[in-house]
Amino acid sequence: MAITVSLVALFGLVLFFLLRAGNLGYGSAFTATGFGFFLASTGAATPINQLTASLIQAVQNL
């Protein structure tokens, strides 16, 4: 768990700086994929899935 959380933080930080610099290429795609993969392994996966489902429900009810 501790290794996964630190990899999420590392990939998130790198992705933040890549997006901020406007340098979007193959490296950014790899970083985003790694961030998503490791984020799904943490305890944040359930709240993110619930939030996404709620947003989809809200859009459907508009």
Side-chain angles (χ1 to χ4, degrees), residues 9-23:
L10 176 67
F11 276 115
L13 187 64
V14 170
L15 183 60
F16 172 77
F17 284 117
L18 285 172
L19 290 172
R20 184 144 164 93
N23 186 7

Side-chain angles (χ1 to χ4, degrees), residues 29-55:
F30 176 76
T31 303
T33 302
F35 178 69
F37 178 76
F38 288 111
L39 184 63
S41 301
T42 65
T46 302
I48 290 171
N49 287 334
Q50 291 173 347
L51 176 66
T52 305
S54 298
L55 288 174

